[in-house]
Amino acid sequence: MSKRLFLKIVSDVEENDPWFVEAPDARGRKGFTPLQKVTSAIKQLATRNTPDENDEYLHMAERTSRECLEYFCDTVCKIYGPEFLRRPTSHDMALLYQAHEEKHHLPGMFGSLDCTHFVWRFCPTEYRDQYMRGDHRYPTIMLEAVASQDLWFWHAFAGPPGSQNDINVLQQSPLFLTERNGTAPKCPFYVNNHLYKRGYLLVDGIYPSWSVFVKSIPYPHEVNEKKFKRQHEAARKDVKRAFGVLKAKWGVLSRPMRARSVKKIRNVVYTCIILHNMILKDDGKAIAPVHIRDPPVEPALDDTVLGELMNEDTHWRLKHDLIDHLASQDLPHLLVDSDED
């Protein structure tokens, strides 16, 4: 994080939350400055050391450090959430279509969808069985996210118990809520002269065969299918790279969570994602750095949209069109050996 961005965050947090304003304590002594409080919160997010480590560095008590983190996460989500945790607008979708077609040669793609787990160290005993799964030794909390090629997170849904799988999380997720209530932007695209209403996400094999999902081919036989499988798996690594960068940058996510409620963990996760996106924009690496809002639309639930989203015929037709599209492209890095299994 650059010094310019850090000072901007300090100024905005101080302006929007009176708790960060410097004020005398109960003894009449001068309290901590906003710079000290924000530094304490960001150090805990980046290093995930215990709150009492700031006792010598900032002369700050453990309780005060813990309050700094909680108030900082609440304020950052309130101030920056509408911009840096936004759903893609029509302007964003156009840029995402263009960037992914240039990079991955997949027209209509706007991101990759996947889930990850965070260990919950202080999970209450009565919740342990609900948040544990056979392949994890400890209770975990799941995060469902959509990331684009620039590692920007366009969707985040944190909080489901770790005992669930990706399909269970998808059924609870608000990922397609804007599609169903009619507030999502209209962003059609063409593949092989076929029109599709909505962009799609790259997913792995556990997800259902919906019209907005594109899955790989488990056992390709033809050369064109092998080329598609290679390109799909290479492009779907975007969300895996985003998870890796996020956990490496914010140590609080890679170590067991010490919070005792799901709400606090959710705020910490969203804060890390918001700061991650802010750093991408500040470094000039974001595909769509400018937030251009769409005209407001009155929400109106449309029952027919759910059937369109879950249409398997559209899913298979889109996949075959993408296979033909890649076959018509001159992509040397996708050449498959004739003797490859």
Side-chain angles (χ1 to χ4, degrees), residues 31-93:
F32 292 104
T33 64
L35 195 63
Q36 290 174 306
K37 295 177 180 178
V38 175
T39 300
S40 173
I42 292 183
K43 276 179 64 65
Q44 293 179 69
L45 292 176
T47 63
R48 197 30 182 155
N49 294 332
T50 56
D52 60 356
E53 73 156 357
N54 296 323
D55 191 12
E56 295 183 1
Y57 180 65
L58 296 174
H59 298 284
M60 185 178 293
E62 178 182 357
R63 177 182 174 181
T64 306
S65 297
R66 191 162 50 243
E67 290 178 350
C68 286
L69 179 61
E70 294 177 5
Y71 283 108
F72 178 77
C73 292
D74 291 339
T75 307
V76 166
C77 291
K78 181 180 67 175
I79 299 174
Y80 301 114
E83 177 180 357
F84 293 96
L85 269 183
R86 69 182 187 270
R87 297 295 181 87
T89 63
S90 57
H91 176 263
D92 298 331
M93 292 291 286

Side-chain angles (χ1 to χ4, degrees), residues 119-289:
V119 178
W120 188 6
R121 178 178 179 180
F122 289 155
C123 176
T125 304
E126 61 269 22
Y127 294 154
R128 288 185 68 87
D129 291 340
Q130 181 181 356
Y131 285 85
M132 288 191 68
R133 204 167 68 178
D135 55 344
H136 293 90
R137 295 181 56 188
Y138 306 101
T140 60
I141 290 180
M142 298 187 68
L143 167 67
E144 179 191 70
V146 173
S148 53
Q149 191 272 332
D150 60 346
L151 309 185
W152 184 289
F153 286 93
W154 293 102
H155 162 74
F157 175 58
S163 60
Q164 302 181 357
N165 58 26
D166 295 3
I167 298 179
N168 303 137
V169 177
L170 177 64
Q171 293 171 348
Q172 312 170 43
S173 171
L175 177 59
F176 297 111
L177 181 61
T178 56
E179 297 283 351
R180 297 197 62 191
N181 62 21
T183 58
K186 309 298 182 183
C187 302
F189 66 96
Y190 283 91
V191 181
N192 285 356
N193 296 323
H194 292 160
L195 175 65
Y196 294 92
K197 289 184 177 181
R198 302 173 182 88
Y200 57 85
L201 297 167
L202 301 186
V203 296
D204 54 18
I206 192 175
Y207 284 92
S209 299
W210 289 3
S211 63
V212 288
F213 294 153
V214 172
K215 301 191 291 184
S216 182
I217 301 175
Y219 305 104
H221 299 288
E222 300 180 0
V223 175
N224 293 340
E225 293 179 350
K226 294 180 180 180
K227 292 174 63 176
F228 172 77
K229 179 180 175 66
R230 284 191 175 184
Q231 188 66 10
H232 179 281
E233 293 176 350
R236 207 182 70 81
K237 290 179 182 178
D238 291 344
V239 66
K240 297 293 187 181
R241 292 189 301 116
F243 285 148
V245 171
L246 183 70
K247 291 182 179 181
K249 187 179 297 181
W250 304 106
V252 67
L253 303 179
S254 59
R255 299 183 182 181
M257 297 280 189
R258 293 189 175 93
R260 298 185 181 272
S261 68
V262 177
K263 180 181 178 182
K264 292 181 179 180
I265 295 178
R266 186 184 295 117
N267 282 345
V268 168
V269 173
Y270 290 159
T271 300
C272 293
I273 293 176
I274 289 172
L275 295 177
H276 168 84
N277 288 345
M278 293 178 69
I279 294 174
L280 284 179
K281 178 180 178 179
D282 186 64
D283 293 342
K285 299 178 181 179
I287 293 176

